[in-house]
């Protein structure tokens, strides 16, 4: 089966500063790939480039179609949901409104309320807080909301940017457990960017190591996990 | 880069929201650079010869051009150097103008003395307005100064001040003659022209030195990165209010001169349109580039006439379309265009 | 006491206009985080279009919705043509463009319809609302229409998808794009709605102040004052703020001898500066946190 996302020679820069120097990787249908790397390696930029939020060069093929010239809105309409760094919730809107916004590109109908219920099933905490302003939620709850909002799109591919950022280890584990469930139940493919390598390798099938804008290692998650160098540099044991 | 030695240095970040400040913005052409010096000398010679070549109306127009240039220079000190801006500088211009009128006609004081008084008074008024204004940023500052501009004519009409201001009627000023027996050589228009030129040159010199001083650098630091400036021990509130005061002082002196030249002040001369004209002059001349004030002033003195030539009824519309074109095509104003040109030639 | 109540009623009536203008101001502010200094001139131009249609003999209640529609399209088009290209430009560039629009509308209105003042009829009729009432028919109509506009806006933003999308785009444009909202379209919609609301305000006030190209400048200032007082992020706040400004203006004009009937603009200046200093978020607005 062909990969759902195929990136070839992706380049991006902010002004004079080149951040991505032609990276290539892919995400398999129904699979989870992870981009690992230190701060400033270009992980977030990669996700933003895929979504068309910054200028980019190179080939990005999603589901057999080139999307590297499309606008962000058009890319989202094709079923790619991006959970941005820092969660990007609509802070002054209610939790439920945030979820409704996730389904903005879908036709109106009953199945949207059904999906909201499904999100509440994954994240019962959100149900308790459905009328609350998103900005008043805790960090972990906001991350849950961001993921739930992404699910409302009924995406075929989810891009997750540092889902563990700033969260207590217990909450992080909870969130990754849910991601594993989502992968199993909904068959959503994922591209996860993480600094916490051991967490990401826990759910990933494939992993790519990125350093200063270049992929320096790629392979099965298991192989990467066992690699001596990676272990020393990223896993810390 | 012929002008690089004159370029104001400053981080490219931080200021983006406050004012359109180009990379490598130049404060003042002329001075050390030979090209700037040559241009300055030619302009000065031309300015000295002008009153003996042209008729009185042209002399009057050129005098007003210099008056507006001083007003724009004042606003440029605020916007270009300190990153604040104002839609209400017409108010300070009005304070200066009324100071001149009241001192000369009600108190019988010589016109020369009105300048320092207007300057000091406007500094105080500007400083006081600047104190609250420094808590306002971006559009809030625009809003407060817009309100100031729109309310100014009504302030001037208020009955308690009518005894001094002449209410709606305003005050007529008698044009001063040239002193020291110069009136044999120069008529009143010519004399006022030279007087304004001298004041303008002095103020320009002052502005340039201010930009290069410690204070100037502190003001630019505040523009570029207010928080960093604060953490480096710059007292931003005092500096920002001072910048407002100095800016108002320049514009107030311009108003003072303008009143003497026009020989009349009345509330409806100081409407929102005047504040707009000063701001437009600033943008046309180039934000952050002091000599741009002359180009900006030339624009606000002559372009309305040109627009009126093209179509009497639609002068305002032409004016508006021209402004839009400037923002699209030359967002750094004439100053930006000139710098680009010089950079190209220097290569 | 009678005078006092009468002044309050009159203040509420003029406040309705300020409330309408303030609503338009808030709409634009939500869309682009700028204050449209040409808002008043746009409203004035819409009102002239209404006057022209009435001159052609169209009935008022045909003209009213038609002008709202035309103004909506006009506002939408202005955003697309003039502001889209400079959406990332600094504040000062925006202000200059607002001023340019100000000059253009003012000049065109004077050119097409000349500068003589024109009377615009009230759709609600003249005279008091009932025999001996303190409030006139037109004043009551102004208040009613303003409240209806507010109600419609509230419904639009609360119950419709587009309304929700516009709110989302205002709160967090980047995330809005990530859920597939075309943010720049929302901005243009905001412009269209602001322009339409401004047209309503212009048509309501024209019977009171007479129509002429400079009629809106001071009204816009009061509208700004109302919007700031109520909170630039809150449509309800803007309406309340507008009413308060109307009442304060009327009372100050009556009871503070220095100000008198004609010279009430300094009050608006004072209100704006005071609110911005004491409570920048306004009565109902949210504090906008500026990131560095």
């Amino acid at each position: 089966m062909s990969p759902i996302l195929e990136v070839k020679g992706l380049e991006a820069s902010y002004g004079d500063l080149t951040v991505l120097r032609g990276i290539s990787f892919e995400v398999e249908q129904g699979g989870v790939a992870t981009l690992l790397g230190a701060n400033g390696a270009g992980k977030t930029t990669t996700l933003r480039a895929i979504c068309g939020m910054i200028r980019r060069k190179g080939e990005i093929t999603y589901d057999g179609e080139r999307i590297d010239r499309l606008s962000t809105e058009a890319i989202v309409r094709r079923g790619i949901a991006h959970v941005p760094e820092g969660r990007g919730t609509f802070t002054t809107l209610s939790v439920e409104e945030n979820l409704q916004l996730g389904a903005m590109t879908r036709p109106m109908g009953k199945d949207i309320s059904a999906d909201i219920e499904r999100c509440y099933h994954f994240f019962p905490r959100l149900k308790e807080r459905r009328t609350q302003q998103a900005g008043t939620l805790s960090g972990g709850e906001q991350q849950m909301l961001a993921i739930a909002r992404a699910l409302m799109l009924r995406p075929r591919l989810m891009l997750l940017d540092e889902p563990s950022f700033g969260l207590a280890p217990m909450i992080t584990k909870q969130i990754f457990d849910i991601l594993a469930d989502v992968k199993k139940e909904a068959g959503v493919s994922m591209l996860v960017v993480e600094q916490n390598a051991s967490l990401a390798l826990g759910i990933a099938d494939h992993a790519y190591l990125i350093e200063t804008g270049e992929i320096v290692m790629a392979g099965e998650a298991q192989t990467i996990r066992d690699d001596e160098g990676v272990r020393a540099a990223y896993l810390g044991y | 880069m012929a002008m690089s030695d004159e370029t104001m240095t400053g981080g490219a970040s931080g200021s983006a929201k406050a004012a359109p400040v180009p990379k490598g913005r130049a404060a003042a052409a002329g001075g050390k650079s030979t090209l700037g010096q040559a241009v300055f000398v030619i302009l000065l010679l031309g300015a000295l010869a002008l009153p003996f070549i042209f008729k009185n109306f042209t002399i009057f127009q050129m005098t007003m051009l210099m008056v507006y240039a001083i007003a724009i220079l004042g606003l440029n000190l605020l916007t270009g150097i300190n990153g604040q801006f104002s839609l209400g500088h017409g108010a300070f211009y009005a304070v200066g103008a009324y100071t001149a009128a009241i001192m000369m006609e009600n108190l019988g004081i010589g016109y020369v003395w009105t300048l320092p008084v207007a300057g000091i008074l406007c500094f105080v008024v500007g400083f006081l307005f600047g104190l609250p204004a420094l808590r306002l940023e971006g559009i809030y500052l625009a809003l407060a100064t817009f309100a100031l501009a729109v309310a100014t004519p009504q302030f001037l009409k208020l009955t308690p001040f009518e005894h001094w201001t002449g209410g709606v009627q305003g005050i007529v000023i008698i044009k001063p003659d040239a002193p020291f027996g110069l009136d044999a050589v120069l008529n009143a228009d010519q004399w006022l022209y030279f007087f304004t030129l001298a004041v303008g040159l002095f103020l320009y010199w002052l502005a340039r030195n201010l930009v290069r001083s410690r204070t100037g650098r502190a003001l630019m630091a505040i523009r570029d990165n207010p928080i960093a400036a604060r953490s480096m021990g710059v007292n931003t509130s005092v500096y920002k209010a001072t910048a407002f005061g100095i800016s108002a002082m320049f514009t107030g002196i311009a108003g003072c001169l303008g009143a003497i030249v026009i020989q009349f002040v009345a509330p409806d001369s100081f409407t929102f349109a005047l504040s707009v004209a000063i701001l437009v002059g600033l943008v046309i001349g180039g934000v952050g580039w002091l000599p741009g004030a002359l180009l900006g002033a030339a624009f606000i003195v002559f372009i309305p006439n040109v627009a009126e030539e093209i179509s009497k009824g639609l002068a305002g519309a032409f004016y508006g379309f021209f402004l839009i074109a400037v923002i699209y095509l030359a967002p750094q104003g004439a100053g930006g265009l000139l710098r680009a040109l010089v950079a190209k030639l220097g290569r | 006491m009678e005078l006092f109540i009468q002044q309050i009623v009159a203040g509420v009536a003029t406040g309705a206009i300020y409330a309408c203008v303030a609503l338009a101001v808030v709409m634009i502010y939500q869309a682009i985080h700028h204050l449209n200094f040409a808002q008043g001139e746009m409203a004035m131009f819409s009102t002239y279009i209404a006057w022209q249609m009435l001159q052609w003999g169209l009935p008022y209640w045909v003209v009213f919705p038609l002008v709202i529609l035309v103004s909506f399209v006009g506002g939408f088009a202005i955003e697309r043509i003039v502001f889209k290209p400079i959406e990332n430009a600094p504040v000062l560039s925006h202000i200059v463009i607002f001023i340019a629009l100000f000059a253009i509308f003012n000049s065109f209105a004077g050119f097409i319809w000349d500068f003589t003042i024109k009377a615009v009829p009230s759709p609600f009729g003249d005279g008091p609302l009932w025999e001996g009432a303190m409030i006139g028919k037109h004043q009551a109509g102004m208040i009613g229409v303003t409240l209806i506009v507010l109600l419609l806006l509230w419904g639009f933003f609360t119950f419709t998808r587009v309304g929700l999308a516009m709110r989302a785009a205002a709160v967090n444009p980047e995330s809005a794009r990530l859920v597939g909202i075309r943010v720049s379209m929302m901005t243009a919609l905001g412009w269209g709605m602001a322009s339409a609301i401004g047209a309503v305000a212009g048509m309501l006030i024209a019977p009171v102040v007479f129509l002429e190209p400079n009629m809106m400048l001071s009204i816009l200032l009061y509208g700004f004052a109302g919007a700031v007082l109520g909170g630039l992020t809150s449509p309800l706040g803007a309406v309340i703020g507008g009413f308060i400004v109307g009442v304060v203006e009327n009372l100050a004009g009556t009871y503070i001898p220095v100000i008198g009937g004609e010279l009430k603009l300094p009050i608006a200046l004072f209100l704006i500066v005071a609110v911005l200093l004491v409570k920048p978020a306004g009565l109902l607005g949210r504090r906008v946190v500026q990131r560095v």
Side-chain angles (χ1 to χ4, degrees):
Chain A
M1 200 160 42
S2 62
I4 187 156
L5 182 77
E6 203 178 351
V7 173
K8 269 189 202 156
L10 182 63
E11 286 173 38
S13 50
Y14 295 106
D16 297 336
L17 182 73
T18 306
V19 182
L20 298 179
R21 306 161 194 277
I23 63 169
S24 304
F25 61 91
E26 46 187 62
V27 181
E28 279 175 38
Q29 293 273 8
V32 176
T34 180
L35 285 178
L36 305 174
N39 243 336
K43 304 186 302 283
T44 296
T45 308
T46 308
L47 296 192
R48 292 172 65 86
I50 293 171
C51 273
M53 295 168 80
I54 50 169
R55 283 199 182 188
R56 69 280 202 207
K57 270 196 291 194
E59 278 180 32
I60 305 171
T61 313
Y62 165 76
D63 202 18
E65 181 194 8
R66 284 280 292 272
I67 58 164
D68 42 83
R69 302 220 166 254
L70 298 180
S71 69
T72 303
E73 298 94 271
I75 290 169
V76 172
R77 272 166 209 281
R78 281 164 173 71
I80 299 182
H82 185 163
V83 182
E85 191 183 26
R87 294 134 203 163
T89 46
F90 299 101
T91 48
T92 57
L93 306 188
S94 73
V95 167
E96 188 136 332
E97 282 172 338
N98 268 270
L99 293 179
Q100 281 168 354
L101 282 162
M104 197 47 100
T105 57
R106 292 166 47 190
M108 280 211 274
K110 275 197 203 121
D111 51 340
I112 289 185
S113 2
D115 279 7
I116 290 181
E117 284 310 314
R118 199 170 63 115
C119 284
Y120 290 150
H121 157 76
F122 278 126
F123 303 101
R125 288 277 278 286
L126 294 182
K127 186 165 190 173
E128 289 165 33
R129 310 201 182 287
R130 59 198 296 168
T131 55
Q132 227 168 294
Q133 281 195 1
T136 64
L137 301 184
S138 72
E141 289 162 348
Q142 289 206 31
Q143 185 65 60
M144 292 176 193
L145 178 59
I147 294 172
R149 189 186 74 202
L151 287 173
M152 289 300 297
L153 181 71
R154 289 204 177 165
R156 296 187 51 213
L157 174 66
M158 267 170 87
L159 312 177
L160 293 125
D161 198 345
E162 303 262 1
S164 76
F165 183 79
L167 301 183
M170 241 179 57
I171 310 274
T172 312
K173 183 168 180 312
Q174 214 179 335
I175 283 175
F176 271 83
D177 286 347
I178 292 167
L179 286 178
D181 283 353
V182 168
K183 177 191 170 190
K184 222 183 316 165
E185 284 182 34
V188 180
S189 318
M190 296 182 200
L191 177 59
V192 186
V193 149
E194 257 298 344
Q195 280 198 64
N196 186 334
S198 61
L199 262 178
L201 288 170
I203 63 163
D205 311 307
H206 280 84
Y208 298 86
L209 210 59
I210 183 167
E211 263 174 30
T212 56
E214 280 169 295
I215 303 260
V216 292
M217 189 187 279
E220 303 252 323
Q222 193 57 42
T223 333
I224 300 271
R225 198 206 303 256
D226 294 340
D227 184 272
E228 282 294 322
V230 174
R231 219 183 235 189
Y234 294 98
L235 297 173
Y237 59 84
Chain B
M1 280 285 287
M3 292 185 186
S4 60
D5 55 336
E6 293 287 343
T7 301
M8 286 183 199
T9 46
S13 64
S15 62
K17 272 193 181 156
V21 192
K23 271 186 203 168
R25 50 218 115 167
K32 283 182 227 159
S33 79
T34 41
L35 179 67
Q37 227 163 27
V39 171
F40 179 76
V41 169
I42 292 168
L43 275 180
L44 189 62
L45 288 177
L48 288 173
L50 187 133
F52 302 108
I53 302 169
F54 289 101
K55 291 210 178 73
N56 280 353
F57 182 68
T58 311
I59 297 172
F60 167 78
Q61 273 192 323
M62 294 310 286
T63 313
M64 282 315 289
L65 189 150
M66 290 189 288
V67 167
Y68 284 129
I70 296 169
I72 295 167
L73 190 65
L75 184 57
N76 206 349
L77 284 176
L78 186 70
T79 307
I81 317 303
N82 196 219
Q84 308 187 73
F85 52 81
S86 165
L87 275 168
H89 258 46
F92 303 122
Y93 188 96
V95 170
Y98 268 85
T99 306
I102 291 171
M103 282 178 73
M104 287 169 70
E105 295 309 314
N106 293 355
L107 307 174
I109 297 171
Y111 65 98
V112 177
W113 299 107
T114 66
L115 291 179
V117 174
I120 293 167
L121 190 64
C122 286
F123 177 85
V124 173
V125 173
F127 187 86
L128 292 179
F129 190 82
L131 273 181
L134 59 86
R135 286 181 54 189
L136 311 176
E137 275 172 16
I139 55 156
Y140 294 107
L141 188 59
L143 175 58
T145 52
F146 170 78
L148 180 66
V150 175
T152 295
Q154 294 208 349
F155 266 120
L156 299 173
K157 286 177 197 166
L158 287 179
T159 36
F161 311 130
E162 205 167 329
H163 174 66
W164 295 102
T165 58
V168 188
Q169 306 297 322
I171 305 169
V172 176
I173 300 170
I174 295 163
K175 199 189 289 189
D177 284 324
F180 321 121
L182 279 172
D183 49 347
V185 198
L186 299 174
N187 66 30
D189 286 325
Q190 287 169 320
W191 164 244
L192 268 182
Y193 173 89
F194 282 117
F195 182 68
T196 308
L197 180 64
V199 173
L201 282 173
F202 172 71
L203 289 175
Y204 181 72
W205 173 80
L206 209 64
R208 257 182 40 148
N209 282 315
L210 175 76
V211 167
R212 290 177 185 169
S213 67
R214 245 179 95 83
T215 314
R217 282 198 302 275
L219 291 173
M220 282 183 269
I222 291 169
R223 170 196 67 191
D224 291 334
N225 198 334
I227 288 175
R230 207 171 301 148
S231 67
M232 272 154 42
V234 179
N235 185 341
T236 49
S237 42
V238 170
Y239 271 110
K240 283 174 99 169
T242 308
F244 231 103
I246 294 172
S247 170
M249 178 181 87
F250 275 70
T251 306
I253 292 176
C256 185
L257 286 167
I260 300 170
V261 174
I262 294 184
Q263 299 168 259
F264 178 59
V265 293
D268 291 329
S269 318
F270 307 107
T271 59
F272 178 51
L274 173 64
S275 293
V276 165
I278 297 174
L279 183 76
V280 164
L282 169 69
V283 172
I284 299 285
V287 174
W289 188 56
L290 298 185
L294 268 181
L295 295 169
F299 179 88
I300 58 178
V301 170
F302 294 115
I303 290 299
N305 299 343
V306 174
E308 212 136 301
E309 295 275 306
I310 299 173
S311 162
K312 220 166 175 65
L314 284 176
F318 278 111
Y319 195 70
F321 285 124
F322 192 88
L323 274 182
I324 293 179
V326 167
I327 290 294
Y328 283 174
L329 305 176
Q332 320 302 345
L337 283 182
L338 274 180
R339 277 199 301 279
L341 195 69
V342 168
K344 215 169 189 179
L345 292 177
R347 220 169 257 165
Chain C
M1 192 61 199
E2 171 131 2
L3 176 70
F4 181 73
I5 295 173
Q6 193 151 19
Q7 286 306 316
I8 291 207
V9 172
V12 169
T14 23
I17 299 301
Y18 304 156
C20 241
V21 176
L23 262 182
V25 167
V26 165
M27 292 299 305
I28 291 272
Y29 182 79
Q30 291 285 62
I32 55 171
H33 296 274
H34 280 292
L35 298 172
N36 181 0
F37 291 98
Q39 192 98 62
E41 304 310 290
M42 287 166 62
M44 173 273 294
F45 202 81
S46 298
T47 313
Y48 265 107
I49 295 175
W51 178 83
Q52 186 64 65
M53 287 180 176
L54 290 173
Q55 289 302 108
W56 288 334
L58 291 172
Y60 197 97
W61 295 112
V62 173
V63 171
F64 193 79
L66 207 58
V67 168
I68 290 176
L69 186 71
V70 169
S71 305
F72 178 87
V73 173
F76 191 91
I78 286 176
E79 198 282 335
R80 292 281 90 178
I81 298 165
V82 184
F83 282 92
K84 181 109 205 318
I86 58 153
E87 56 188 343
N88 296 319
V91 177
L92 193 59
S93 300
H94 276 89
I95 289 177
V96 173
I97 299 272
F98 288 134
I99 287 170
L101 286 179
F102 187 103
I104 291 170
F105 279 115
N106 195 291
S107 167
F108 267 112
F111 180 72
I112 302 173
W113 293 289
D114 71 54
F115 284 88
T116 55
I117 59 169
K118 295 176 169 57
V120 175
S122 165
F124 308 106
D126 301 320
L129 191 55
W130 64 83
E131 196 69 34
M134 274 186 200
I135 187 166
K137 280 181 187 152
H138 184 75
Q139 292 175 315
M142 290 198 293
I143 298 170
V145 170
T146 303
L147 293 179
I148 290 170
V149 171
L150 179 66
L151 197 69
L152 287 176
L153 278 181
W154 175 78
F156 172 77
F157 281 116
T158 313
F159 298 116
T160 71
R161 257 191 156 192
V162 182
L164 181 60
M166 283 179 72
R167 278 158 68 206
V171 177
N172 192 335
E174 181 151 288
S175 287
R177 270 199 293 280
L178 284 178
V179 296
I181 294 168
R182 292 172 65 188
V183 173
S184 75
M185 195 52 82
M186 297 301 123
T187 307
L189 266 182
W191 267 86
M193 288 170 65
S195 169
I197 297 168
V200 173
M203 285 186 278
L204 287 181
I205 196 169
V208 184
V209 300
F210 295 108
L211 183 57
E212 51 112 3
N214 299 316
M215 68 187 237
M216 288 302 282
L217 182 60
S218 47
I219 293 168
L220 177 65
L221 187 58
Y222 290 122
F224 278 145
V228 168
L229 180 59
L232 280 170
T233 52
S234 162
L236 176 64
V239 169
I240 295 174
F243 280 119
I244 294 177
V245 170
V247 172
V248 167
E249 181 216 357
N250 250 304
L251 292 182
T254 314
Y255 291 103
I256 306 178
V258 174
I259 293 169
E262 300 292 310
L263 307 174
K264 295 184 277 194
L265 279 175
I267 298 172
L269 168 67
F270 176 76
L271 265 177
I272 289 174
V273 174
V275 173
L276 287 179
L277 290 181
V278 177
K279 200 169 183 317
L283 296 174
L284 298 180
R286 289 185 311 272
R287 185 104 177 86
V288 178
V289 181
Q290 286 219 340
R291 286 202 195 165
V292 192

